[in-house]
Amino acid sequence: MSFQNYWLFLPACFALNMAFGPNNVLSLSNGARDGMRYSILAAFGRLFAFAAMIAISGFGLGALLIASETLFTVLKFGGAAYLVWLGVKLFRSAPVDLAASANDVQSKLELPADKLRRLAKQEFLVAAGNPKAILIFTAFFPQFVDRSAYTTSFIVLGATFLLLELIAIAIYAAIGARLGTFTNAAGRFRWFNRVSGTLMIGFGLLLAFLRRPAN
């Protein structure tokens, strides 16, 4: 991969990382509710899913997903159903009483492990259940891969994508944390949950109508 091609890859890749999708809605929502630190740490579940997808695409198995209508449909509707379910949960969730949580000894003891595990699992499932991600890696990366050094260049592109994804996560988490300072009142935070939930449901419905690329 030439130096020039890599510098073309960087802005195009970061535009994909910053795209307002379901995982970035999660980072925004988690940042507003639980703070920037929790949002970023939980998003490593997403990075793990993306790393696995990059490996799948690198081995050429992403082409199988494109070719198989059954695999594509199962993954698509499974991911769509999960997004809608998660959106309904967000929409119906009650505002967090930050003051009460701070004074709750049991919450202090259980929060770090339980909350991170739950949020990371959500991030992983949202990323893994979206076939668009594998399609991006399968269709986008090959445009910049050096055929004479396929493995090395694919690893470089994958590592760059994950690094830029982490930067995008931090940006969305910071924005969410900032929004959280304005939504501490119960009524305002309830509306924030409803907006986030509605967006997640919308992403789920859009995913359900995603078409498999033509062979």
Side-chain angles (χ1 to χ4, degrees), residues 115-188:
K115 181 177 290 187
L116 278 178
R117 189 181 301 113
R118 175 173 54 83
L119 297 181
K121 182 180 178 181
Q122 284 181 351
E123 285 271 10
F124 176 85
L125 291 175
V126 168
N130 188 353
K132 283 182 65 177
I134 284 188
L135 298 184
I136 287 173
F137 299 135
T138 304
F140 178 62
F141 276 29
Q143 299 178 46
F144 301 93
V145 166
D146 183 352
R147 301 293 177 180
S148 64
Y150 179 85
T151 302
T152 302
S153 58
F154 211 97
I155 290 173
V156 170
L157 293 177
T160 301
F161 178 92
L162 294 176
L163 178 60
L164 293 178
E165 184 71 14
L166 184 58
I167 294 172
I169 287 166
I171 291 172
Y172 274 100
I175 293 172
R178 185 65 176 168
L179 288 173
T181 63
F182 297 106
T183 55
N184 282 343
R188 291 198 298 271

